[in-house]
Every structure is written in structure tokens, then in C-alpha cells.
Amino acid sequence: MEKEPFWREFFIMQYNNSVSSFVRRVGAAAAFGALIAATPAAFADPSQDSYRLTVSGYVPVVCRANLDNSVAASNGNQVDLGTLHEFCNSANGYQVTVDHSPELAGATLMIDGTAVRLSDAGSTVISGAAQPGIAAHKVSLVTENGQANGTLSIRVTAL
């Protein structure tokens, strides 16, 4: 007796079953076919295919310094100017400079107890760092005669 071809057996089997069973089996056969079609990609040589993902962004350089407006009364020849808050995210660091009026040339700024003489040129570097930073410093102004007339302005320069 000769065996029936596969497709005929498959057809007769499907004919004898309900329609929903037929749809399930055809769906399974289609899924199996899709799996076989995708298999060569799964076993492909990874050295021949390469993928590259690059993520980049831009962070602006922000530098600022401000002096609290909590100027205290003069104590002899020293005036407490408050706290200097500085911030700079420059990767190369920053410098804090005080610009002053000519009346204050020769006066001394005390920054955390360290004396910095104000230059005759009108600008003096008072602090800085070689990397990004956040800092706070106590600042006071010492004059020879106790007179603190003049102006100070603070600026930060990214390096």
C-alpha cells in the first residue's frame, strides 16, 4: 500500500477538525516559518556586523560670584563685607577678580583670614581654582584710615 503525500494527509486532517483548530495550526506553522527565516540572522558572524551608538550633549559654562549684602558696621579700620559665594563649572577652572575704584587702591581684602592687597591698577585676582568648583569665603575690607568709600565689583572668568 502506498503512503499518501504529506500535503494530502495535512489537508484531510484539517478538514476533519474544526475551523478554529485549522487556524491555530496554520498560525503555528507560520510562526515556525518566521522563526526559521530569522535563524540565519541570529547565528550571523558578529565581527561582520557592527553597530555604533553615539550620544552627545552640550553643557554651557556657567560661572558666577556674588557677595552677600550683609555689610556690618566698621570695626576700627575693618569692614565686614559678608560671604563671597562662587560657582563655576568650567572644566579648566576659574578666577575670581575684584574690580575696585581708585579710592580703594592699596586697601586690603581679608579673604578667610588671608590678606590680599588691592592693586593700583583697579583689578585684583582674589581667588580661583584649576577645576570646577563651588566655594564660600568670608570677606572683609581693611583700610588704613578706616574709611571705606569706594566701589567693589566681583567677576568670575572661566579659564
Side-chain angles (χ1 to χ4, degrees):
M1 182 163 163
E2 190 176 311
K3 186 170 176 153
E4 300 239 351
F6 171 75
W7 61 268
R8 180 174 162 93
E9 193 174 304
F10 182 75
F11 181 75
I12 292 171
M13 181 176 59
Q14 294 307 322
Y15 182 77
N16 291 332
N17 291 326
S18 68
V19 172
S20 65
S21 175
F22 177 76
V23 170
R24 278 195 311 264
R25 289 183 186 192
V26 168
F32 182 72
L35 178 64
I36 289 183
T39 301
F43 293 104
D45 184 8
S47 65
Q48 292 187 5
D49 292 331
S50 65
Y51 299 96
R52 184 174 182 175
L53 176 64
T54 303
V55 178
S56 63
Y58 174 74
V59 176
V61 173
V62 176
C63 296
R64 62 178 174 260
N66 64 324
L67 193 59
D68 288 346
N69 292 333
S70 58
V71 176
S74 176
N75 182 10
N77 62 347
Q78 185 170 341
V79 177
D80 183 19
L81 299 177
T83 303
L84 171 66
H85 297 278
E86 57 191 52
F87 168 84
C88 189
N89 67 351
S90 171
N92 297 323
Y94 62 96
Q95 283 185 333
V96 180
T97 305
V98 64
D99 297 319
H100 54 84
S101 60
E103 299 87 21
L104 295 176
T108 303
L109 277 180
M110 297 297 290
I111 302 168
D112 290 336
T114 303
V116 178
R117 184 181 177 280
L118 297 179
S119 72
D120 294 334
S123 292
T124 306
V125 175
I126 60 171
S127 123
Q131 68 277 341
I134 300 172
H137 306 284
K138 289 289 188 185
V139 180
S140 59
L141 177 66
V142 180
T143 59
E144 291 178 12
N145 58 8
Q147 296 294 321
N149 295 330
T151 60
L152 294 172
S153 64
I154 298 176
R155 61 186 161 91
V156 181
T157 306
L159 301 177

